[in-house]
Amino acid sequence: VGATTTTLLRDHGPQDPALASSPYDPPTVAVIRMDAVLEGMTERSALEAMIQAEYEAMRDKLLARRKQITTMQEEMMLLKPGTPEVLAQEKKLVGMRAEFELDQKRFSAEIQDKRGRLFNGLLSKIRTAAADFANEHDIDLVVQSKLALTPDMPPWHSVIHASERLDISADLIQMLN
């Protein structure tokens, strides 16, 4: 959480004299542009590089297996159709293609799962840092703005940290009773 990604809103007191007698001080609010914080984190860059390296290694293995399947298909075309050798090769190729497709799907799911877990870990670290920052700087409310993990994700806001002094539950209970 830095100066470039955090906006503090401080109220300089009530303008309306009727509000001056309120027992509640105006809250101090900070806004975090989560996309900017994530983009600026060196840990995120390192995790992205690690995921990319794993992706490329697995992609290379899959490409090698695809080439092996293609080579077997080409070799099989040179054999006389209907022979036991061709039938055995066809059976082997069917198994290899099925295994290849399953591995592709599994690999894609593993990368997505890993990326999700890593980003959730980063988001947790950011939320913890934001709460610590808020406590150190007497900020009552921290809101994240425009969490944009993907470009097509619409902007949205959610509370990351709220001080207990903003909780009006007891007052509402008293008012309602």
Side-chain angles (χ1 to χ4, degrees), residues 9 16 23 43 60 63 71 79 83 86 89 95 109 111 116 137 141:
L9 305 174
D16 183 350
E43 185 176 357
D60 291 347
L63 288 174
T71 301
L79 300 174
T83 63
V86 169
Q89 284 281 53
I111 290 290
H137 294 87
L141 184 67

Side-chain angles (χ1 to χ4, degrees), residues 76 85-97:
M76 193 175 73
E85 187 179 1
V86 169
L87 295 175
Q89 284 281 53
E90 284 178 349
K91 185 177 179 180
K92 186 175 181 180
L93 277 172
V94 167
M96 288 176 71
R97 283 188 203 119

